[in-house]
Amino acid sequence: MKYDIIKDLYVKVSGNIYLYEAINESFTKATQTYSQIFANPQVFNTTRPATWSQNRTVQQQYNAIINYTKRIGNNHNINAMLGAETFGQKSLNSQVSGSGAPTDDIPTVNASTIFNAGSNFSSKSEYRIISHFGRINYDYDQRYLLTLVYRADGISSLAKDNRWGFFPGMSAGWNVHREKFYQGSKLSNIISSLKPRVSYGVIGNVAGIGDYEVQGGYGAQGNYNGSLGFLNTSIINSGLRWEKSTQTDLGLDVGILNNKITLLFDYYNRETSDLLTNLTLPSYVGFGSIRTNLGTFQNKGFEITANANILKTKSGLTLDAGANISFVKNKILELPFNGNENNRQGGFQIYDAAQGKVIWVSGLQEGQPLGAIYAYKQLSIFQDAAEVVKIANNRYDAVANITGPGLSFGAGKITAGDVNWMDVDRNDTIDSRDQVYIGNVNPKFTGGFSTTLSYKGFSFITRFDYAVGHTLYNDLVTRVMGNYQGTFNFMNLSKEGFSGSNSRSDIPKVYWADQVGAPNGKKNLTRGNNAGQVLQGNNSNFYEKGDYLACREITLSYDFGKELLSKTKIV
């Protein structure tokens, strides 16, 4: 609803209510198995489980804004807006579950005679956020542009002293092409528009925080000595606060040949501070972890976008094309202090030949990017016993617990068809320290391109996107090749596994359940991960380039004109 108070000043209010409700009922009559049918006398399973549950969520949202627009003189333009908003959600969940009803004729839970603890419950929760916000737009003769914004949010899921977050922002631009000194220059004949710009803004995040998480929690732990017991299951965390992301953007918009070609250049630097991270607690505390704001993460990069009107004829034929490319790098700037180098969380050690020492990699470390992959490097496949003796006679594969012919311990032997692993530290032992850097799960650059061909009412649209420079792990292939579950069919690659002189030189011998290790398998594929779906520490041969070019849309359409449609009952 909108109401004009005076000229250039109006108020607008809106609201909505959303109700979601689900009721589920189930009842199982007395049943018989095959053996019970032919038993003498016949017997029945009279458990008769019955359940009734209800889930209800009500959301309400209301907002109001007041807007003022004013032109002062011939050159000054101002638009100001203030607003407020409230959002609330209430949820109610309940369930009654029982069994042992004396008859099939009453399908509701009230006929049950047994009600197990834990199967009957009810819960309710409430969540609310209150906000106010504002914006001022100003321009001088469409040459100098300035926007100031702010938003303040107060949320019920944080403690009283930290509920409110304040998130300001600004942007400024200069339309150089509107300046008299530029309009009279020769450059304006080629570059028809030129706009440098800058922006700064802060946004907040509380995603993942439970409605009552900061208050701590108690949970039922079952009966003890005939009485229901409760335990403090989560610690009070009243110091938790908003996570904030601050981004600075520098950009340049360029139009060429009367804007037939437009170019957009953007450089951005985003730092997320007070990062919501889990801090592992010592075991003697009694709690596994606590959510903290002790982290800072950085994303920075640049993006280039180009659009062009390639063809435009008097007959109405037009061809437009657009493309963009984006480069981004990430880095962890700060983690909770834990006494480790770079406040490392998780990770493992490898031998770095360049430094000649063991170093920590992967996990989370200050100064390091996310997504690095390390794996055991497959150099080749042993082709015969002589090659095993020559290369790995005294080798100990600690991951698979197998040894070369020259050693007398281990659960099995390195034989023809097994993988010849890179021994990075050259100590004749293959262990976790022999892993090497394989790649990163994050692309080096991404982008896309599109075209639109139009003629009168017809349009032909294509849209593609791509990503380059990232690495993927093909878990399905290793799972099938290693016969991990016994429920997958073989694949053609399995037939090419080592079997003698005519086999491929890069596919190891196929073992049944290779993940179990010697003597049944050799852990040639997922190594110490034992068939787990783990990104790190597998055979390097099963990591692949993730580069792709994807066609997302091909559309041929026709737009019927209003004159034609007006003669029908469609519109």
Side-chain angles (χ1 to χ4, degrees), residues 29-42:
K29 296 181 178 181
T31 60
Q32 286 182 295
T33 64
Y34 184 83
S35 60
Q36 287 174 331
I37 293 174
F38 294 98
N40 188 18
Q42 284 192 8

Side-chain angles (χ1 to χ4, degrees), residues 348-352 357-359 361 374 432-433 435-436:
F348 48 87
Q349 290 182 307
I350 67 167
Y351 181 80
D352 184 6
K357 66 177 183 179
V358 173
I359 62 172
V361 296
Y374 293 83
S432 61
R433 292 172 292 185
Q435 296 178 78
V436 299

Side-chain angles (χ1 to χ4, degrees), residues 33-78:
T33 64
Y34 184 83
S35 60
Q36 287 174 331
I37 293 174
F38 294 98
N40 188 18
Q42 284 192 8
V43 293
F44 289 82
N45 179 356
T46 57
T47 303
R48 295 188 178 97
T51 301
W52 181 92
S53 65
Q54 179 188 32
N55 302 299
R56 176 188 292 173
T57 298
V58 179
Q59 294 179 350
Q60 299 184 63
Q61 183 173 3
Y62 306 97
N63 59 66
I65 64 169
I66 182 169
N67 192 90
Y68 179 70
T69 302
K70 186 66 175 178
R71 183 178 182 88
I72 302 174
N74 295 323
N75 297 320
H76 300 278
N77 299 286
I78 298 176

Side-chain angles (χ1 to χ4, degrees), residues 196-251:
R197 49 189 166 78
V198 61
S199 65
Y200 168 88
V202 182
I203 59 175
N205 173 47
V206 287
I209 299 177
D211 293 345
Y212 307 104
E213 178 181 333
V214 300
Q215 300 177 24
Y218 287 83
Q221 302 301 307
N223 290 337
Y224 176 76
N225 196 25
S227 300
L228 181 61
F230 287 85
L231 177 68
N232 187 193
T233 55
S234 61
I235 195 170
I236 295 175
N237 193 6
S238 57
L240 201 64
R241 58 189 180 273
W242 284 84
E243 174 183 293
K244 294 184 178 182
S245 294
T246 302
Q247 179 167 322
T248 302
D249 187 287
L250 301 176

